[in-house]
Amino acid sequence: MNMTIEQAGLMLADPLAYADEPRLHQALTLLRREAPVHLVEAPEYTPFYAVTRHADIMQVERDNALWLSAPRPVLGKKVFEEHARQQAAQGVQLKTLVHMDDPDHRVVRAIGADWFRPKAMRAMESRIQELARRYVDRLADYGGECDFATQVAVHYPLYVILSLLGLPESDFPRMLKLTQELFGGADAETRRGDTAEDQFAVLLDFFAYFQQLTAARRAHPTEDLASAIANAQVDGKPLNDMETASYYVIIASAGHDTTSSTVAGGLHALIEHPGQLARLREDPGLLPLAVDEMIRWVTPVKEFMRTASADTTLNGVDIRAGESVLLSYPSANRDEEVFTDPFTFDAGRDPNRHLAFGFGVHYCLGAALARMELKALFAELLPRLESVELAGRPEWTATTFVGGIKHLPIRYKLR
Ligand code: HEM
């Protein structure tokens, strides 16, 4: 079915559009070709410019003095933005790395950065491999058929990130629910309710949990990331309660749904492309490239936003100070100017200049961890799978922010 540029732009503000990927990509392809910086005026949203080309997104992300994160970091309905402003006036405010600009951003990012560098990752490798084995072993317990998304993919990355933070296993189910409520706020299956108050209540629950954690780690410091955050000093002072809780929220949430969506979407891609699955089995050395291709293919983070701090021009379109742009990562990652056959899943794609982790000063802090988790899981899974096929129709999350396949029914035989 044909669509107009106007209709294509409106899809970027429609959570349901992300649950129908072929149609979404039809819209994004049209925008890239005809209106790469396009003003979207959706009824319930403050207007924004949708930026759909790889080169334009890089240009925005590169210039973090001109393009700020703090005023409007992600897309939200006007009522939610207004409610958040009222809460902030009363001192309750989510202020994570993605809500900050330099100089604060640089200082606060440095607190957690060492925990995600390749050296720290190498130290975690054997633990991650052990967890990957544990979750692949579960497939044997399920007896040949399962929902891979809900029974395997959602648990493994959450387990990794919460172990890194140092949280007790008994709290994991609660964290799983809160993360899904936070990111799946537009999906009827995961959201707590559909009002701004409902969504804010999820945040308050996160805060309450993490305030207790901060107090515990300040009283009795341990060797985990939670302790590093609780006891960090900026200009000789600890972070305040909101800042500490926000740091935990971003680690726990960003480190989880993103990777689990890629685990499920990665397996789905291999099922849909049996030739690539066979190729990967024959040459496991391709796995690091295949993992990046899965990340490009799935692109679990759908957007971040930036707001112009001065009047400017982007790809010929005038944008005034205070106006916002939405950076469409799924679109960048299918840009025909950058990728050969962008709609082909190529397990050996090299080079692969995808923007799924963003670019510039906000580049994903957990990129090395995510790659390691995905590599460990598929290194364990592929040799054990004798056969795998779909046992039903996969379903995608309705979200404009983070998500992917939420149900992946599979039938399989293990060796
Ligand atoms: C930021 C994607 C996994 C932690 C981001 C951004 C993207 C992204 C697009 C924003 C970048 C920008 O604005 O330029 C992904 C994808 C993942 C993933 C696709 C998995 C496949 C993780 C993991 C962690 C993590 C495992 C672990 C804690 C963060 C943090 C930020 C971030 C803390 C904020 C960085 C900042 O603003 O300075 N991620 N992420 N992410 N990610 Fe990830």
Side-chain angles (χ1 to χ4, degrees), residues 49-117:
Y49 290 88
V51 182
T52 43
R53 281 195 192 160
H54 190 283
D56 294 338
I57 293 179
M58 297 255 292
Q59 184 182 328
V60 170
E61 296 228 44
R62 219 177 245 132
D63 193 348
N64 63 309
L66 176 60
W67 294 103
L68 303 180
S69 292
R72 198 181 177 194
V74 293
L75 185 65
K77 286 185 180 168
K78 266 189 225 167
V79 282
F80 294 166
E81 288 177 345
E82 184 46 38
H83 192 262
R85 260 193 294 278
Q86 286 166 10
Q87 294 290 328
Q90 295 169 30
V92 184
Q93 186 183 18
L94 183 66
K95 197 175 164 208
T96 74
L97 290 174
V98 303
H99 299 76
M100 290 181 193
D101 293 299
D102 283 348
D104 301 3
H105 171 262
R106 186 195 307 256
V107 176
V108 175
R109 184 171 162 117
I111 294 170
D114 278 349
W115 289 78
F116 295 96
R117 287 194 214 288

Side-chain angles (χ1 to χ4, degrees), residues 396-412:
W396 276 258
T397 320
T399 178
T400 55
F401 187 27
V402 176
I405 292 184
K406 64 174 178 178
H407 293 296
L408 184 63
I410 56 167
R411 196 174 298 117
Y412 53 90

Side-chain angles (χ1 to χ4, degrees), residues 109-359:
R109 184 171 162 117
I111 294 170
D114 278 349
W115 289 78
F116 295 96
R117 287 194 214 288
K119 192 167 157 230
M121 290 300 102
R122 280 195 292 278
M124 283 192 67
E125 194 163 13
S126 60
R127 172 83 180 125
I128 290 178
Q129 283 165 345
E130 183 194 315
L131 289 171
R133 199 165 313 126
R134 188 195 294 185
Y135 282 93
V136 173
D137 280 346
R138 286 199 177 175
L139 287 176
D141 303 338
Y142 299 142
E145 228 176 279
C146 74
D147 179 345
F148 185 77
T150 58
Q151 290 179 278
V152 178
V154 295
H155 300 283
Y156 162 66
L158 180 73
Y159 209 107
V160 171
I161 198 70
L162 297 183
S163 313
L164 178 70
L165 264 176
L167 303 193
E169 226 172 302
S170 52
D171 290 354
F172 288 10
R174 187 167 164 197
M175 284 294 115
L176 173 62
K177 188 157 186 302
L178 284 174
T179 316
Q180 289 181 331
E181 286 176 337
L182 188 71
F183 280 169
D187 193 298
E189 196 176 321
T190 43
R191 72 179 168 210
R192 184 175 296 188
D194 53 9
T195 66
E197 286 76 13
D198 291 327
Q199 291 211 357
F200 215 77
V202 175
L203 204 54
L204 293 179
D205 283 359
F206 257 123
F207 282 165
Y209 176 89
F210 285 131
Q211 269 166 11
Q212 281 177 12
L213 181 70
T214 309
R217 291 299 192 276
R218 284 186 181 155
H220 303 287
T222 49
E223 291 295 307
D224 51 34
L225 175 57
S227 265
I229 294 170
N231 297 296
Q233 304 260 327
V234 174
D235 296 333
K237 284 186 293 198
L239 299 177
N240 68 33
D241 273 0
M242 280 297 131
E243 289 165 340
T244 316
S246 294
Y247 218 129
Y248 294 137
V249 171
I250 183 104
I251 301 282
S253 56
H256 167 226
D257 253 20
T258 48
T259 314
S260 58
S261 299
T262 315
V263 169
L267 182 63
H268 180 244
L270 293 175
I271 294 172
E272 295 282 278
H273 302 87
Q276 298 299 311
L277 174 59
R279 184 179 171 203
L280 203 50
R281 276 220 181 93
E282 266 164 41
D283 183 0
L286 279 182
L287 199 50
L289 293 178
V291 158
D292 262 278
E293 180 67 343
M294 290 175 190
I295 297 168
R296 179 188 80 89
W297 194 247
V298 174
T299 310
V301 178
K302 309 304 173 196
E303 51 93 7
F304 269 106
M305 298 188 78
R306 300 290 189 267
T307 300
S309 61
D311 292 354
T312 186
T313 304
L314 184 63
N315 200 349
V317 176
D318 290 334
I319 297 180
R320 288 201 308 271
E323 292 184 326
S324 310
V325 295
L326 176 143
L327 311 177
S328 174
Y329 298 121
S331 179
N333 288 345
R334 295 289 188 280
D335 191 334
E336 332 28 37
E337 294 286 318
V338 177
F339 301 98
T340 315
D341 300 330
F343 288 93
T344 300
F345 179 82
D346 173 0
R349 187 179 288 278
D350 188 16
N352 189 345
R353 295 173 45 227
H354 70 73
L355 292 182
F357 290 123
F359 186 73

